[in-house]
Amino acid sequence: MKLRKVTAASATVLALALTATACGSDDGDSGSSGGGKKITIGIKFDQPGLGQKTPDGYEGFDVDVATYVAKKLGYSEDQIEWKESKSADRETMLQRGDVDFIAATYSITPKREEKVDFAGPYLLAHQDVLLRADDDKIKSPEDLNDAKLCSVTGSTSAQNVKDKLAPKAQLQNYPTYSACLTGLQNGAIDALTTDDSILAGYASQDQFKGKFKLGGFKMTNENYGIGVKKGSDLKAKINDALEAMVADGAWDKAVKDNFGPANYKNEPAPKIGDVKS
């Protein structure tokens, strides 16, 4: 009789314990500091040197930064779910909660800050041009007058140059940066323009090493930040992670690993909150 009572009591305690455990383990799939099963991060899938999907996984400077940040938040690499974040989709993805944060050549601007919050910046890039390595004619933005200047369809980079620096530049719109590179290589165009970090990433590809050079013109400031949902407490935690990445040398290593082959003369790591106009 006593055995039955003890067994019944034990069963009751066990049932209560299981119920409490089930309730306590429901902390979501992502979005908390290491408590969830995974964290979802938005990156570019098609930008060599920054964010690129390869047969072996994902690589690039943005990927290295995002991976470091995720680890500081308590997530291992196998707990990261990468999601493609195209430029036009980034704010919507954050607002809908499709991703926890985005590191995808995401320049901090007042207009974007109306919709999302930014940690960082973690890289100060500049609009520049990519030239053939043996080109000694284009030494300044003014030398782009009468030159065939390429950028991708939908980008404002080439138009900015024409409007502000070289009004006689001949704009050439190609569907992809890779197409522009092919045109630059065979002489169909004279220069390719976009952010210097993006240009360095493309020029660092094995098939292009030694064939191109950056102009070093620094025509604009592009402050890359990590986008989070408006009001997210992740912003402060990501800022702490970015400061740690700079302090322990991982930031410098990521720059060298991803942009080194293009002799990219990067700016020093920016201070958190220091957005250059």
Side-chain angles (χ1 to χ4, degrees):
M1 189 68 176
K2 288 183 179 178
L3 182 59
R4 290 197 187 100
K5 287 183 178 178
V6 171
T7 304
S10 299
T12 301
V13 171
L14 179 60
L16 289 171
L18 289 172
T19 302
T21 302
C23 293
S25 65
D26 187 16
D27 50 9
D29 284 341
S30 59
S32 60
S33 297
K37 298 175 183 176
K38 65 180 180 181
I39 187 167
T40 306
I41 303 173
I43 57 170
K44 293 291 181 69
F45 278 15
D46 59 354
Q47 285 188 340
L50 286 151
Q52 186 175 31
K53 184 177 182 180
T54 74
D56 298 321
Y58 302 87
E59 60 185 29
F61 181 71
D62 285 346
V63 175
D64 288 348
V65 170
T67 301
Y68 186 99
V69 168
K71 286 183 178 179
K72 285 295 184 181
L73 293 176
Y75 296 91
S76 60
E77 287 190 46
D78 60 4
Q79 289 177 305
I80 299 174
E81 178 183 343
W82 301 106
K83 189 165 286 191
E84 184 174 19
S85 297
K86 296 181 179 179
S87 296
D89 300 333
R90 291 177 296 201
E91 285 85 36
T92 302
M93 291 179 73
L94 288 169
Q95 291 170 333
R96 284 194 313 226
D98 296 341
V99 292
D100 293 298
F101 67 80
I102 290 178
T105 61
Y106 203 0
S107 295
I108 301 171
T109 67
K111 185 175 181 180
R112 288 171 177 163
E113 286 183 306
E114 293 175 2
K115 300 178 179 179
V116 300
D117 286 340
F118 286 97
Y122 63 92
L123 183 72
L124 176 60
H126 306 281
Q127 186 179 341
D128 200 355
V129 295
L130 194 67
L131 307 166
R132 286 183 292 278
D134 59 357
D135 187 334
D136 58 1
K137 296 178 182 178
I138 300 176
K139 299 178 180 179
S140 71
E142 291 73 23
D143 294 332
L144 293 169
N145 280 305
D146 298 321
K148 294 177 181 177
L149 181 64
C150 187
S151 192
V152 297
T153 303
S155 169
T156 59
S157 298
Q159 191 64 50
N160 287 341
V161 173
K162 185 175 179 68
D163 290 345
K164 300 174 182 178
L165 299 168
K168 295 182 181 179
Q170 301 175 38
L171 303 189
Q172 308 286 318
N173 288 320
Y174 281 39
T176 64
Y177 289 118
S178 295
C180 282
L181 280 168
T182 300
L184 183 59
Q185 188 172 5
N186 64 29
I189 61 171
D190 301 306
L192 162 61
T193 186
T194 188
D195 296 359
D196 54 8
S197 58
I198 296 174
L199 296 174
Y202 277 98
S204 294
Q205 295 178 98
D206 289 340
Q207 67 268 37
F208 295 132
K209 286 180 182 177
K211 296 181 179 179
F212 303 114
K213 64 182 179 182
L214 289 163
F217 298 161
K218 297 184 178 181
M219 294 180 280
T220 64
N221 290 327
E222 304 296 336
N223 303 271
Y224 290 175
I226 292 181
V228 297
K229 191 173 184 177
K230 200 76 173 171
S232 172
D233 63 356
L234 279 179
K235 176 179 176 179
K237 297 172 184 177
I238 292 173
N239 279 334
D240 288 344
L242 292 174
E243 288 181 333
M245 187 176 187
V246 174
D248 68 15
W251 188 90
D252 285 322
K253 183 178 185 302
V255 169
K256 184 177 180 180
D257 288 348
N258 293 290
F259 303 128
N263 294 318
Y264 175 50
K265 296 177 176 61
N266 63 283
E267 298 279 3
K271 294 187 180 300
I272 300 301
D274 184 12
V275 178
K276 303 292 186 184
S277 58

